[in-house]
Amino acid sequence: MSHAAHGPNWPARIGLALLAFVALAVSVTLAVTIGEMAIPFEVALRALGNGLFDLGLPVSAIQQGVIFDYRLSRALMAGLCGGALALSGAILQALLRNPLAEPYILGISAGASTGAVAVLILGVGIGGTALSLSAGAFVGSCAALAVVALLSAGAGGASDRVILAGVAASQLFNAATATIVTTLASAEQARGVMFWLLGNFGGVRWPDLWMATPVALIGFAICMLHAKALDAFAFGADAAASLGVAVTRVRVVLFATTAVMTAAMVSIVGTIGFVGLVIPHAARFLVGSGHARLLPACLVTGAVFMILADILSRVLIPQQILPIGVVTALVGAPAFALILYRARNPA
Amino acid sequence: MTLAAHEVRWSAAGRLIVDGVSLEAAPGRILGLIGPNGSGKSSLLRLLCRLRNVASGVVKLDGRDIAGVPRRALAQRLAFVEQQATTEMQLSVCDVVRLGRTPHRAALASWNGADEAAVSAALERVGLSERHDQPWHTLSGGERQRVHIARALAQEPSELILDEPTNHLDIQHQLSILALIRRLGVTCIVALHDLNLAALFCDEIALLHGGRLQAAGTPEAVLTEETIRAVFGVAVSIRPGASGRPHIEYLVATDRPAEEGA
């Protein structure tokens, strides 16, 4: 197997890229056609043609609206969000050398939602536009990262302390969110804020994608540029430095990238747990630990997983939409337990 | 001259750990670093490869201050083997050795023939060519240390720095690791705990005590009964051993008190 990996193996790469594309296309198709209103595939195609190229094909206005403005934007957002969170998880696991690290468990998502909620409720006068909301989320996620870094450094900096620090940070920021909501929010605002606590793709519209797409793709590009450096962290920061990696610069760039990706996603869809944890492990199982393969695998697997999870959240209970975080937690919590168990009992 | 430290100092948490040490590694030879626990051996090694920055003094590689050498260029010259570095990643032996090519590859460069040749040669030199695809976590302690040395060799360094590479290994593996290091022909600076092994395998020895350099020179010059008593607080008798190198015998009372009625 490792001999096949020497040098670029173009047929295998092209095959994997095709496979990834097909998996994404199939899951988006499913997301567009499945739902309260079942829509045949060819109607979905016609609606897509109308929406993208203004073809004027015969589709009822309701179906056109449901497919193009509601389900397609929602599916693409779910894909971007799943990909970005999985990527963030893979980066955090490599940099912190802890298999349990991910934005949700480390409190970065909680920090981002505190920031978003603070902007939404305290900054009403400025106007809760998407941009300032994301800026608030970004400040919050950076603050959470800083709290985690300080706490874990104070506790000796060992990689298992990072998770404890993350738990503390998430409690802290969730408490801050709850304080802001209970003391300052109107009843209507409070209902809206519930949206951030478990994640929701319901409010997604096309303009959200104009922000999320560049963030996810540029974030992915930055991570890919550091794939070799991430491999070098396998034996710790000193080992990485002795292999010529500029440890501090790589950490700052990648932590910031993770914070921005998480903040962007949280500001649009709220906090969604466990995706960043489960997907990198599944992807490692599929393509191995080398980050040059792992990171693209995380992006695609995360996207497919989240799109499918979103379909489940819509159809699991008729007439109701489950928060997406509930679905990911149903899959993620057992996976978390499994990883925890395996980390305690190395083979 | 290759790697040389001049009057280097370094402190952590307000305590001076390395206190004005000067030493020089002769090309192609093995410099042993010995001293009691907490004498600053590991810290000094980390200063020599700039994993920590000196508070004062200078470390020079071929006469050039390493503080001004880019991290990647430095890693093409100096390789570092830690005491017992391990990982939770699922890596194979060759995955680990391939990490040694990191400083020689640009961010997006693909794996090439020169990289592959360096990895194969490194595995050959440590005698693990057959283990190429074995998972890291199934290796024994001695094998792991060999893989780390192979990873360091894949960096194609001119200087190799090893921090107690024999720690926690049984005597057979201690000897085989040190014999391996002797055969490499690379300039080595190696921290060691065992004084007899240091005497046996090192060309020069530097003795650290409380962060200061107590003595440096050939094993015969450094390992004297007086110095060992002064630094380690144990009485010894030193004679030439079968190898011709000094052999240290520890003089301690080993009698057990006579039991009642015996």
Side-chain angles (χ1 to χ4, degrees), chain A residues 2-3 6-8 97 99 225 228 231-232 234-235 238-239 241-245 289 342 347, chain B residues 46 51-52 71 75 86-88 90 98-99 103 105-107 109 111 116 132-133 136 148 155:
Chain A
S2 52
H3 288 283
H6 301 159
R97 301 184 68 220
L225 282 174
K228 284 196 184 80
D231 288 341
F235 289 91
D238 270 359
S242 76
L243 288 168
V245 174
S289 302
R342 281 190 33 182
Chain B
R46 280 171 167 75
L51 291 178
R52 305 288 177 270
R71 176 72 68 198
T86 189
T87 182
E88 291 202 9
Q90 303 284 318
R98 281 160 162 237
L99 291 178
R105 302 171 67 201
W111 188 252
E116 191 53 38
H132 197 273
D133 294 322
W136 162 265
H148 276 309
Q155 280 176 256

mmCIF file of all heavy atoms in Angstrom, chain A residues 2-3 6-8 97 99 225 228 231-232 234-235 238-239 241-245 289 342 347, chain B residues 46 51-52 71 75 86-88 90 98-99 103 105-107 109 111 116 132-133 136 148 155:
data_model
loop_
_atom_site.group_PDB
_atom_site.id
_atom_site.type_symbol
_atom_site.label_atom_id
_atom_site.label_comp_id
_atom_site.label_asym_id
_atom_site.label_seq_id
_atom_site.Cartn_x
_atom_site.Cartn_y
_atom_site.Cartn_z
ATOM 1 N N SER A 2 1.898 1.277 0.859
ATOM 2 C CA SER A 2 2.725 2.459 0.938
ATOM 3 C C SER A 2 3.552 2.630 -0.340
ATOM 4 O O SER A 2 3.897 3.742 -0.703
ATOM 5 C CB SER A 2 3.648 2.375 2.134
ATOM 6 O OG SER A 2 4.338 1.159 2.101
ATOM 7 N N HIS A 3 3.859 1.534 -1.019
ATOM 8 C CA HIS A 3 4.608 1.674 -2.256
ATOM 9 C C HIS A 3 3.776 2.348 -3.322
ATOM 10 O O HIS A 3 4.282 3.099 -4.135
ATOM 11 C CB HIS A 3 5.100 0.305 -2.751
ATOM 12 C CG HIS A 3 6.207 -0.225 -1.891
ATOM 13 N ND1 HIS A 3 7.486 0.244 -1.978
ATOM 14 C CD2 HIS A 3 6.200 -1.144 -0.899
ATOM 15 C CE1 HIS A 3 8.244 -0.380 -1.083
ATOM 16 N NE2 HIS A 3 7.476 -1.214 -0.414
ATOM 17 N N HIS A 6 3.906 6.213 -3.279
ATOM 18 C CA HIS A 6 5.081 6.989 -3.686
ATOM 19 C C HIS A 6 4.795 7.751 -4.967
ATOM 20 O O HIS A 6 4.382 7.180 -5.969
ATOM 21 C CB HIS A 6 6.277 6.057 -3.906
ATOM 22 C CG HIS A 6 6.623 5.290 -2.676
ATOM 23 N ND1 HIS A 6 7.340 4.136 -2.689
ATOM 24 C CD2 HIS A 6 6.303 5.520 -1.390
ATOM 25 C CE1 HIS A 6 7.452 3.679 -1.470
ATOM 26 N NE2 HIS A 6 6.830 4.516 -0.655
ATOM 27 N N GLY A 7 5.010 9.049 -4.924
ATOM 28 C CA GLY A 7 4.780 9.845 -6.117
ATOM 29 C C GLY A 7 3.297 10.022 -6.334
ATOM 30 O O GLY A 7 2.486 9.274 -5.781
ATOM 31 N N PRO A 8 2.941 11.012 -7.129
ATOM 32 C CA PRO A 8 1.518 11.221 -7.373
ATOM 33 C C PRO A 8 0.959 10.081 -8.204
ATOM 34 O O PRO A 8 1.469 9.792 -9.278
ATOM 35 C CB PRO A 8 1.468 12.553 -8.127
ATOM 36 C CG PRO A 8 2.843 12.787 -8.636
ATOM 37 C CD PRO A 8 3.793 11.960 -7.856
ATOM 38 N N ARG A 97 -2.735 17.278 19.420
ATOM 39 C CA ARG A 97 -2.381 15.875 19.610
ATOM 40 C C ARG A 97 -3.379 15.208 20.549
ATOM 41 O O ARG A 97 -2.998 14.478 21.457
ATOM 42 C CB ARG A 97 -0.969 15.745 20.183
ATOM 43 C CG ARG A 97 0.075 16.374 19.286
ATOM 44 C CD ARG A 97 1.451 16.137 19.819
ATOM 45 N NE ARG A 97 1.818 14.740 19.732
ATOM 46 C CZ ARG A 97 2.485 14.086 20.663
ATOM 47 N NH1 ARG A 97 2.833 14.676 21.773
ATOM 48 N NH2 ARG A 97 2.795 12.823 20.490
ATOM 49 N N PRO A 99 -7.131 13.100 20.313
ATOM 50 C CA PRO A 99 -8.156 12.579 19.410
ATOM 51 C C PRO A 99 -9.554 13.107 19.719
ATOM 52 O O PRO A 99 -10.460 12.907 18.918
ATOM 53 C CB PRO A 99 -8.096 11.061 19.630
ATOM 54 C CG PRO A 99 -7.476 10.892 20.961
ATOM 55 C CD PRO A 99 -6.551 12.052 21.161
ATOM 56 N N LEU A 225 -2.145 23.853 2.480
ATOM 57 C CA LEU A 225 -0.766 24.350 2.398
ATOM 58 C C LEU A 225 0.050 23.891 3.609
ATOM 59 O O LEU A 225 1.273 23.849 3.556
ATOM 60 C CB LEU A 225 -0.754 25.881 2.333
ATOM 61 C CG LEU A 225 -1.091 26.491 0.979
ATOM 62 C CD1 LEU A 225 -1.189 28.004 1.099
ATOM 63 C CD2 LEU A 225 -0.024 26.117 -0.051
ATOM 64 N N LYS A 228 1.784 19.111 5.251
ATOM 65 C CA LYS A 228 3.045 18.463 5.654
ATOM 66 C C LYS A 228 3.436 18.863 7.074
ATOM 67 O O LYS A 228 3.914 18.042 7.847
ATOM 68 C CB LYS A 228 4.167 18.848 4.694
ATOM 69 C CG LYS A 228 4.089 18.139 3.373
ATOM 70 C CD LYS A 228 5.420 18.258 2.635
ATOM 71 C CE LYS A 228 5.326 17.636 1.283
ATOM 72 N NZ LYS A 228 4.677 18.545 0.308
ATOM 73 N N ASP A 231 1.462 16.865 9.511
ATOM 74 C CA ASP A 231 2.016 15.512 9.672
ATOM 75 C C ASP A 231 3.161 15.526 10.683
ATOM 76 O O ASP A 231 3.294 14.624 11.501
ATOM 77 C CB ASP A 231 2.562 14.995 8.330
ATOM 78 C CG ASP A 231 1.457 14.639 7.356
ATOM 79 O OD1 ASP A 231 0.321 14.437 7.812
ATOM 80 O OD2 ASP A 231 1.739 14.562 6.143
ATOM 81 N N ALA A 232 3.985 16.587 10.606
ATOM 82 C CA ALA A 232 5.178 16.659 11.452
ATOM 83 C C ALA A 232 4.839 16.815 12.929
ATOM 84 O O ALA A 232 5.682 16.595 13.792
ATOM 85 C CB ALA A 232 6.083 17.808 10.990
ATOM 86 N N ALA A 234 2.957 14.881 14.544
ATOM 87 C CA ALA A 234 2.576 13.564 15.079
ATOM 88 C C ALA A 234 3.292 13.248 16.394
ATOM 89 O O ALA A 234 2.717 12.645 17.287
ATOM 90 C CB ALA A 234 2.852 12.479 14.051
ATOM 91 N N PHE A 235 4.566 13.662 16.501
ATOM 92 C CA PHE A 235 5.314 13.348 17.714
ATOM 93 C C PHE A 235 5.496 14.567 18.616
ATOM 94 O O PHE A 235 6.382 14.586 19.463
ATOM 95 C CB PHE A 235 6.668 12.723 17.359
ATOM 96 C CG PHE A 235 6.534 11.331 16.800
ATOM 97 C CD1 PHE A 235 6.415 11.127 15.435
ATOM 98 C CD2 PHE A 235 6.487 10.239 17.643
ATOM 99 C CE1 PHE A 235 6.259 9.854 14.922
ATOM 100 C CE2 PHE A 235 6.341 8.956 17.138
ATOM 101 C CZ PHE A 235 6.213 8.761 15.773
ATOM 102 N N ASP A 238 7.976 19.834 19.692
ATOM 103 C CA ASP A 238 9.438 19.848 19.584
ATOM 104 C C ASP A 238 9.893 19.038 18.376
ATOM 105 O O ASP A 238 10.797 19.435 17.646
ATOM 106 C CB ASP A 238 10.091 19.276 20.854
ATOM 107 C CG ASP A 238 10.353 20.371 21.888
ATOM 108 O OD1 ASP A 238 10.035 21.538 21.597
ATOM 109 O OD2 ASP A 238 10.879 20.039 22.965
ATOM 110 N N ALA A 239 9.246 17.886 18.174
ATOM 111 C CA ALA A 239 9.600 17.059 17.020
ATOM 112 C C ALA A 239 9.299 17.815 15.736
ATOM 113 O O ALA A 239 10.107 17.800 14.797
ATOM 114 C CB ALA A 239 8.834 15.740 17.057
ATOM 115 N N ALA A 241 9.261 21.078 15.345
ATOM 116 C CA ALA A 241 10.253 22.142 15.193
ATOM 117 C C ALA A 241 11.579 21.576 14.697
ATOM 118 O O ALA A 241 12.239 22.158 13.841
ATOM 119 C CB ALA A 241 10.451 22.871 16.527
ATOM 120 N N SER A 242 11.963 20.407 15.212
ATOM 121 C CA SER A 242 13.248 19.841 14.790
ATOM 122 C C SER A 242 13.173 19.325 13.355
ATOM 123 O O SER A 242 14.190 19.044 12.743
ATOM 124 C CB SER A 242 13.701 18.735 15.750
ATOM 125 O OG SER A 242 12.966 17.564 15.526
ATOM 126 N N LEU A 243 11.953 19.214 12.811
ATOM 127 C CA LEU A 243 11.806 18.849 11.403
ATOM 128 C C LEU A 243 11.680 20.090 10.518
ATOM 129 O O LEU A 243 11.347 19.992 9.344
ATOM 130 C CB LEU A 243 10.576 17.957 11.209
ATOM 131 C CG LEU A 243 10.719 16.523 11.744
ATOM 132 C CD1 LEU A 243 9.379 15.815 11.770
ATOM 133 C CD2 LEU A 243 11.716 15.738 10.912
ATOM 134 N N GLY A 244 11.925 21.250 11.116
ATOM 135 C CA GLY A 244 11.953 22.467 10.313
ATOM 136 C C GLY A 244 10.627 23.191 10.210
ATOM 137 O O GLY A 244 10.480 24.105 9.415
ATOM 138 N N VAL A 245 9.640 22.805 11.033
ATOM 139 C CA VAL A 245 8.343 23.471 10.995
ATOM 140 C C VAL A 245 8.378 24.701 11.904
ATOM 141 O O VAL A 245 8.836 24.608 13.048
ATOM 142 C CB VAL A 245 7.227 22.514 11.474
ATOM 143 C CG1 VAL A 245 5.901 23.243 11.589
ATOM 144 C CG2 VAL A 245 7.115 21.335 10.528
ATOM 145 N N SER A 289 -3.611 8.520 7.924
ATOM 146 C CA SER A 289 -3.368 9.698 8.750
ATOM 147 C C SER A 289 -2.684 10.847 8.015
ATOM 148 O O SER A 289 -2.608 11.935 8.546
ATOM 149 C CB SER A 289 -2.479 9.330 9.946
ATOM 150 O OG SER A 289 -3.088 8.331 10.703
ATOM 151 N N ARG A 342 -11.260 3.722 23.270
ATOM 152 C CA ARG A 342 -10.054 3.270 22.576
ATOM 153 C C ARG A 342 -8.822 4.056 22.995
ATOM 154 O O ARG A 342 -7.726 3.529 23.037
ATOM 155 C CB ARG A 342 -10.235 3.362 21.072
ATOM 156 C CG ARG A 342 -11.033 2.192 20.544
ATOM 157 C CD ARG A 342 -11.022 2.126 19.054
ATOM 158 N NE ARG A 342 -9.762 2.600 18.473
ATOM 159 C CZ ARG A 342 -9.536 2.668 17.179
ATOM 160 N NH1 ARG A 342 -10.461 2.311 16.337
ATOM 161 N NH2 ARG A 342 -8.388 3.094 16.728
ATOM 162 N N ALA A 347 -4.249 -0.285 21.605
ATOM 163 C CA ALA A 347 -4.057 -1.660 21.159
ATOM 164 C C ALA A 347 -2.642 -2.131 21.463
ATOM 165 O O ALA A 347 -1.705 -1.360 21.424
ATOM 166 C CB ALA A 347 -4.325 -1.755 19.666
ATOM 167 N N ARG B 46 18.468 21.019 23.738
ATOM 168 C CA ARG B 46 17.419 21.781 23.049
ATOM 169 C C ARG B 46 17.911 23.153 22.623
ATOM 170 O O ARG B 46 17.455 23.693 21.610
ATOM 171 C CB ARG B 46 16.178 21.879 23.938
ATOM 172 C CG ARG B 46 15.363 20.588 23.869
ATOM 173 C CD ARG B 46 14.241 20.507 24.866
ATOM 174 N NE ARG B 46 13.352 19.410 24.539
ATOM 175 C CZ ARG B 46 13.646 18.124 24.749
ATOM 176 N NH1 ARG B 46 14.825 17.789 25.280
ATOM 177 N NH2 ARG B 46 12.803 17.176 24.400
ATOM 178 N N LEU B 51 15.506 24.424 19.748
ATOM 179 C CA LEU B 51 14.123 24.157 20.159
ATOM 180 C C LEU B 51 13.773 25.110 21.295
ATOM 181 O O LEU B 51 12.606 25.355 21.573
ATOM 182 C CB LEU B 51 13.972 22.710 20.613
ATOM 183 C CG LEU B 51 14.106 21.682 19.487
ATOM 184 C CD1 LEU B 51 13.985 20.280 20.034
ATOM 185 C CD2 LEU B 51 13.077 21.935 18.413
ATOM 186 N N ARG B 52 14.826 25.627 21.981
ATOM 187 C CA ARG B 52 14.657 26.729 22.918
ATOM 188 C C ARG B 52 15.668 27.785 22.496
ATOM 189 O O ARG B 52 16.708 27.449 21.938
ATOM 190 C CB ARG B 52 14.969 26.295 24.359
ATOM 191 C CG ARG B 52 14.169 25.097 24.854
ATOM 192 C CD ARG B 52 12.704 25.405 25.119
ATOM 193 N NE ARG B 52 11.998 24.191 25.526
ATOM 194 C CZ ARG B 52 11.410 23.363 24.674
ATOM 195 N NH1 ARG B 52 11.447 23.605 23.377
ATOM 196 N NH2 ARG B 52 10.814 22.271 25.105
ATOM 197 N N ARG B 71 14.411 28.035 10.296
ATOM 198 C CA ARG B 71 14.104 26.748 10.918
ATOM 199 C C ARG B 71 14.288 25.571 9.951
ATOM 200 O O ARG B 71 14.841 24.542 10.285
ATOM 201 C CB ARG B 71 12.659 26.823 11.434
ATOM 202 C CG ARG B 71 12.091 25.587 12.038
ATOM 203 C CD ARG B 71 12.654 25.236 13.380
ATOM 204 N NE ARG B 71 12.308 26.135 14.459
ATOM 205 C CZ ARG B 71 12.989 26.168 15.606
ATOM 206 N NH1 ARG B 71 14.019 25.364 15.811
ATOM 207 N NH2 ARG B 71 12.630 27.000 16.552
ATOM 208 N N ALA B 75 16.969 22.425 10.015
ATOM 209 C CA ALA B 75 16.544 21.026 10.083
ATOM 210 C C ALA B 75 17.186 20.187 8.981
ATOM 211 O O ALA B 75 17.202 18.960 9.059
ATOM 212 C CB ALA B 75 15.023 20.938 9.994
ATOM 213 N N THR B 86 6.255 9.574 21.334
ATOM 214 C CA THR B 86 5.307 8.626 20.783
ATOM 215 C C THR B 86 4.096 9.383 20.244
ATOM 216 O O THR B 86 4.011 10.603 20.346
ATOM 217 C CB THR B 86 4.909 7.548 21.800
ATOM 218 O OG1 THR B 86 4.157 6.551 21.116
ATOM 219 C CG2 THR B 86 4.083 8.140 22.932
ATOM 220 N N THR B 87 3.178 8.659 19.642
ATOM 221 C CA THR B 87 2.060 9.307 18.959
ATOM 222 C C THR B 87 0.821 8.440 19.085
ATOM 223 O O THR B 87 0.924 7.232 19.275
ATOM 224 C CB THR B 87 2.400 9.538 17.482
ATOM 225 O OG1 THR B 87 1.314 10.213 16.859
ATOM 226 C CG2 THR B 87 2.655 8.234 16.742
ATOM 227 N N GLU B 88 -0.338 9.086 18.978
ATOM 228 C CA GLU B 88 -1.588 8.320 18.955
ATOM 229 C C GLU B 88 -2.084 8.118 17.540
ATOM 230 O O GLU B 88 -3.079 7.446 17.310
ATOM 231 C CB GLU B 88 -2.658 9.041 19.783
ATOM 232 C CG GLU B 88 -2.345 9.011 21.253
ATOM 233 C CD GLU B 88 -3.583 9.218 22.098
ATOM 234 O OE1 GLU B 88 -4.698 9.217 21.563
ATOM 235 O OE2 GLU B 88 -3.406 9.395 23.318
ATOM 236 N N GLN B 90 -2.264 6.633 13.831
ATOM 237 C CA GLN B 90 -1.999 5.299 13.298
ATOM 238 C C GLN B 90 -0.979 5.451 12.170
ATOM 239 O O GLN B 90 -1.347 5.724 11.042
ATOM 240 C CB GLN B 90 -3.294 4.688 12.753
ATOM 241 C CG GLN B 90 -4.422 4.608 13.766
ATOM 242 C CD GLN B 90 -4.221 3.480 14.760
ATOM 243 O OE1 GLN B 90 -3.816 2.393 14.384
ATOM 244 N NE2 GLN B 90 -4.473 3.762 16.025
ATOM 245 N N ARG B 98 9.439 8.823 6.879
ATOM 246 C CA ARG B 98 9.183 9.826 5.851
ATOM 247 C C ARG B 98 9.099 11.239 6.414
ATOM 248 O O ARG B 98 9.378 12.205 5.709
ATOM 249 C CB ARG B 98 7.852 9.535 5.161
ATOM 250 C CG ARG B 98 7.935 8.450 4.129
ATOM 251 C CD ARG B 98 6.542 7.924 3.880
ATOM 252 N NE ARG B 98 6.496 7.207 2.629
ATOM 253 C CZ ARG B 98 5.674 7.525 1.646
ATOM 254 N NH1 ARG B 98 4.838 8.513 1.772
ATOM 255 N NH2 ARG B 98 5.705 6.842 0.544
ATOM 256 N N LEU B 99 8.690 11.359 7.696
ATOM 257 C CA LEU B 99 8.631 12.688 8.321
ATOM 258 C C LEU B 99 9.992 13.367 8.250
ATOM 259 O O LEU B 99 10.081 14.590 8.185
ATOM 260 C CB LEU B 99 8.188 12.581 9.784
ATOM 261 C CG LEU B 99 6.744 12.158 10.033
ATOM 262 C CD1 LEU B 99 6.499 12.062 11.528
ATOM 263 C CD2 LEU B 99 5.796 13.152 9.400
ATOM 264 N N PRO B 103 11.911 18.701 6.070
ATOM 265 C CA PRO B 103 12.661 19.926 5.766
ATOM 266 C C PRO B 103 13.184 19.998 4.328
ATOM 267 O O PRO B 103 13.595 21.067 3.882
ATOM 268 C CB PRO B 103 13.827 19.890 6.766
ATOM 269 C CG PRO B 103 13.924 18.487 7.203
ATOM 270 C CD PRO B 103 12.547 17.918 7.132
ATOM 271 N N ARG B 105 11.336 19.177 1.661
ATOM 272 C CA ARG B 105 10.248 19.254 0.696
ATOM 273 C C ARG B 105 9.498 20.567 0.819
ATOM 274 O O ARG B 105 9.177 21.001 1.917
ATOM 275 C CB ARG B 105 9.268 18.093 0.922
ATOM 276 C CG ARG B 105 9.945 16.736 0.822
ATOM 277 C CD ARG B 105 9.019 15.633 1.262
ATOM 278 N NE ARG B 105 7.917 15.494 0.329
ATOM 279 C CZ ARG B 105 6.767 14.914 0.647
ATOM 280 N NH1 ARG B 105 6.549 14.456 1.855
ATOM 281 N NH2 ARG B 105 5.835 14.796 -0.259
ATOM 282 N N ALA B 106 9.197 21.192 -0.314
ATOM 283 C CA ALA B 106 8.382 22.405 -0.310
ATOM 284 C C ALA B 106 6.944 22.021 0.054
ATOM 285 O O ALA B 106 6.587 20.843 0.005
ATOM 286 C CB ALA B 106 8.431 23.071 -1.672
ATOM 287 N N ALA B 107 6.122 23.058 0.399
ATOM 288 C CA ALA B 107 4.785 22.793 0.932
ATOM 289 C C ALA B 107 3.949 21.897 0.026
ATOM 290 O O ALA B 107 3.247 21.017 0.499
ATOM 291 C CB ALA B 107 4.056 24.111 1.183
ATOM 292 N N ALA B 109 5.225 20.158 -2.716
ATOM 293 C CA ALA B 109 6.030 19.239 -3.527
ATOM 294 C C ALA B 109 5.531 17.816 -3.345
ATOM 295 O O ALA B 109 5.107 17.432 -2.259
ATOM 296 C CB ALA B 109 7.494 19.334 -3.104
ATOM 297 N N TRP B 111 6.148 13.632 -3.435
ATOM 298 C CA TRP B 111 7.182 12.711 -2.980
ATOM 299 C C TRP B 111 8.020 12.296 -4.186
ATOM 300 O O TRP B 111 7.486 11.889 -5.207
ATOM 301 C CB TRP B 111 6.456 11.510 -2.381
ATOM 302 C CG TRP B 111 7.325 10.544 -1.690
ATOM 303 C CD1 TRP B 111 7.669 9.302 -2.132
ATOM 304 C CD2 TRP B 111 7.951 10.710 -0.429
ATOM 305 N NE1 TRP B 111 8.474 8.695 -1.227
ATOM 306 C CE2 TRP B 111 8.665 9.530 -0.166
ATOM 307 C CE3 TRP B 111 7.999 11.752 0.502
ATOM 308 C CZ2 TRP B 111 9.419 9.344 0.988
ATOM 309 C CZ3 TRP B 111 8.739 11.569 1.649
ATOM 310 C CH2 TRP B 111 9.434 10.381 1.884
ATOM 311 N N GLU B 116 12.493 8.980 -1.490
ATOM 312 C CA GLU B 116 12.328 7.542 -1.302
ATOM 313 C C GLU B 116 13.672 6.880 -1.005
ATOM 314 O O GLU B 116 13.786 6.024 -0.121
ATOM 315 C CB GLU B 116 11.701 6.944 -2.567
ATOM 316 C CG GLU B 116 11.236 5.514 -2.430
ATOM 317 C CD GLU B 116 10.316 5.321 -1.236
ATOM 318 O OE1 GLU B 116 9.493 6.197 -0.958
ATOM 319 O OE2 GLU B 116 10.449 4.280 -0.569
ATOM 320 N N HIS B 132 9.273 -2.019 7.209
ATOM 321 C CA HIS B 132 8.732 -0.898 6.444
ATOM 322 C C HIS B 132 7.252 -0.573 6.716
ATOM 323 O O HIS B 132 6.897 0.565 6.993
ATOM 324 C CB HIS B 132 8.921 -1.261 4.968
ATOM 325 C CG HIS B 132 8.809 -0.102 4.042
ATOM 326 N ND1 HIS B 132 7.612 0.316 3.529
ATOM 327 C CD2 HIS B 132 9.735 0.741 3.537
ATOM 328 C CE1 HIS B 132 7.804 1.347 2.747
ATOM 329 N NE2 HIS B 132 9.095 1.628 2.723
ATOM 330 N N ASP B 133 6.393 -1.584 6.665
ATOM 331 C CA ASP B 133 4.948 -1.324 6.739
ATOM 332 C C ASP B 133 4.325 -1.647 8.096
ATOM 333 O O ASP B 133 3.112 -1.599 8.255
ATOM 334 C CB ASP B 133 4.217 -2.130 5.658
ATOM 335 C CG ASP B 133 4.604 -1.654 4.278
ATOM 336 O OD1 ASP B 133 4.777 -0.432 4.110
ATOM 337 O OD2 ASP B 133 4.763 -2.494 3.377
ATOM 338 N N TRP B 136 3.354 1.504 13.854
ATOM 339 C CA TRP B 136 4.225 2.062 14.895
ATOM 340 C C TRP B 136 3.896 1.505 16.277
ATOM 341 O O TRP B 136 4.776 1.156 17.050
ATOM 342 C CB TRP B 136 4.079 3.587 14.884
ATOM 343 C CG TRP B 136 4.558 4.269 16.116
ATOM 344 C CD1 TRP B 136 3.820 4.645 17.198
ATOM 345 C CD2 TRP B 136 5.912 4.630 16.408
ATOM 346 N NE1 TRP B 136 4.618 5.235 18.135
ATOM 347 C CE2 TRP B 136 5.910 5.235 17.682
ATOM 348 C CE3 TRP B 136 7.124 4.507 15.729
ATOM 349 C CZ2 TRP B 136 7.062 5.711 18.274
ATOM 350 C CZ3 TRP B 136 8.270 4.988 16.335
ATOM 351 C CH2 TRP B 136 8.234 5.577 17.584
ATOM 352 N N HIS B 148 13.053 6.215 15.216
ATOM 353 C CA HIS B 148 13.331 7.647 15.386
ATOM 354 C C HIS B 148 14.695 8.002 14.823
ATOM 355 O O HIS B 148 14.868 9.061 14.216
ATOM 356 C CB HIS B 148 13.263 8.034 16.865
ATOM 357 C CG HIS B 148 11.866 8.333 17.332
ATOM 358 N ND1 HIS B 148 11.045 9.203 16.665
ATOM 359 C CD2 HIS B 148 11.141 7.867 18.376
ATOM 360 C CE1 HIS B 148 9.877 9.276 17.282
ATOM 361 N NE2 HIS B 148 9.913 8.463 18.322
ATOM 362 N N GLN B 155 16.620 12.834 7.428
ATOM 363 C CA GLN B 155 16.847 14.271 7.292
ATOM 364 C C GLN B 155 18.201 14.544 6.645
ATOM 365 O O GLN B 155 18.496 15.682 6.314
ATOM 366 C CB GLN B 155 16.804 14.961 8.667
ATOM 367 C CG GLN B 155 15.400 15.213 9.171
ATOM 368 C CD GLN B 155 15.386 15.806 10.583
ATOM 369 O OE1 GLN B 155 15.092 15.108 11.546
ATOM 370 N NE2 GLN B 155 15.702 17.088 10.731
#
